[in-house]
Amino acid sequence: MSNRYDTIFEEIENKILELIVKAKVLDELVDIRNKYLSKKGEFSVLMNKIREVEDKKAFGESYNLARKKIETRLSEKIAEFQKFALNEQLKSQMIDITLPGINQESGKMNPFFKVKREIEDIFIGMGYTVENGPEVDSDRYVFELLNIPKDHPARDMQDTLYIDDNLLLRSHTSSVQAHVMEKAKGKPIKIICPGKTFRRDDDDMTHSHQFAQVEGLVIDKNINLGNLKATLELFAKKMFSKDAKIRFRSSYFPFTEPSVEVDVSCFACKGKGCSVCKGSGWIEILGAGMVHPNVLKMSGYDPEIYSGYAFGIGIERVAMLRYGIDDIRRFYQSDIRFIEEFNKKVED
Ligand code: DAH
């Protein structure tokens, strides 16, 4: 519907519509709205002319029609720009799922920890629980309660690192035996304790001032050497090979009587004799024995009623045999090539 006042608005209306068409960015449209349609905008102020005109209704209609047209075009164009901006943003954030991914190298386990876990698993499977004990311990637990009194020559076998006259870095995990017995208060025991040990050794291919052992201790009624042998044979079969055999050689440890050195049949040559077993067909793997009556007595067990066995396994030694590692120092050097090489061997 047109009326005689339309011409008043025509020129400015066309000008604004043209500016809208030409606008290239959103800001320009905002500027147009401010300049012409705000309260004191160049278009808005035309309404003031209503005072001077005769037919105020027709003037108002004309004004509203023109304003509506401008506003509609402006909103349409603003919406168009916003849609475009959104699309651009989405495009820039698009992920191409067909691109190849970035490979993350997964960590590999040091053979030491593999073997430690395997040993734990084997004994847990036989009903043992895993205990811990202090790495810095007193003379009483590392020596006295294990039947190694002061000035006993056996102390020389384990020259260790003292912190003061009484405290020292434990030279073997056997020290945990007395702690566990103290806690068990005369009840049966079936534990292993894996952990670090320390000795004042020179570091060479087979020695390190720090290494690790797994101590085993079983105390109950009617425990005998046969139980110890069966346990260690099962361990050897699971750890080294299905047809592994073990043999006991008599030995001496102050805390066990009788004491034995345990050999496993060479898994490399099946006992025929090779470089791994130095021709003998047997490899020494651990020390063990029946818990000495003095040790039982000192920790509150009556040796007339209770008996027990104990053993100590060197973790690095087992790992070196198992994986053909020639130098104990390799375990501690954090050389990633060693770990990778070792992991390759295991997967083969
Ligand atoms: N403690 C011994 C060592 O470090 C190993 C050992 C031998 C542990 C005989 C035992 C055992 O429990 O019965 O050389």
Side-chain angles (χ1 to χ4, degrees), residues 142 146 148 157-158 171-175 177 197 199 211 213-217 228 251-261 286-292 309-314:
V142 181
L146 289 168
I148 316 175
M157 299 193 317
Q158 299 195 355
S171 53
H172 51 183
T173 46
S174 302
S175 54
Q177 289 190 22
T197 52
R199 287 188 199 175
F211 56 103
Q213 294 183 329
V214 174
E215 190 76 16
L217 178 68
L228 173 64
S251 183
Y252 171 76
F253 297 105
F255 35 91
T256 43
E257 184 57 38
S259 300
V260 290
E261 212 83 63
L286 57 95
M290 298 305 292
V291 181
H292 197 289
Y309 61 74
F311 53 86
I313 308 170

Side-chain angles (χ1 to χ4, degrees), residues 80-147:
E80 213 174 282
F81 277 170
Q82 281 171 337
K83 195 171 157 195
F84 179 78
L86 183 67
N87 278 339
E88 285 299 295
Q89 194 193 352
L90 289 177
K91 251 192 256 168
S92 73
Q93 290 172 350
M94 203 156 76
I95 297 165
D96 183 351
I97 55 164
T98 64
L99 284 174
I102 301 161
N103 245 357
Q104 279 276 330
E105 275 281 325
S106 60
K108 293 177 182 115
M109 207 186 275
N110 188 302
F112 171 85
F113 288 103
K114 280 198 165 201
V115 165
K116 178 173 176 272
R117 284 192 187 179
E118 265 181 68
I119 297 174
E120 286 170 2
D121 280 351
I122 292 169
F123 283 103
I124 287 169
M126 291 194 247
Y128 287 70
T129 51
V130 180
E131 283 286 334
N132 280 308
E135 288 169 8
V136 178
D137 211 343
S138 63
D139 186 277
R140 186 174 144 80
Y141 289 96
V142 181
F143 297 126
E144 295 276 341
L145 290 172
L146 289 168
N147 205 27

Side-chain angles (χ1 to χ4, degrees), residues 244-301:
K245 290 186 183 58
I246 59 162
R247 73 173 183 189
F248 281 1
R249 275 181 296 111
S250 70
S251 183
Y252 171 76
F253 297 105
F255 35 91
T256 43
E257 184 57 38
S259 300
V260 290
E261 212 83 63
V262 183
D263 298 338
V264 62
S265 55
C266 181
F267 42 86
C269 65
K270 305 267 180 263
K272 283 189 213 92
C274 68
S275 62
V276 177
C277 58
K278 300 194 180 83
S280 75
W282 295 94
I283 303 166
E284 186 192 321
I285 53 163
L286 57 95
M290 298 305 292
V291 181
H292 197 289
N294 286 351
V295 172
L296 287 170
K297 246 187 275 173
M298 280 188 280
S299 288
Y301 286 80

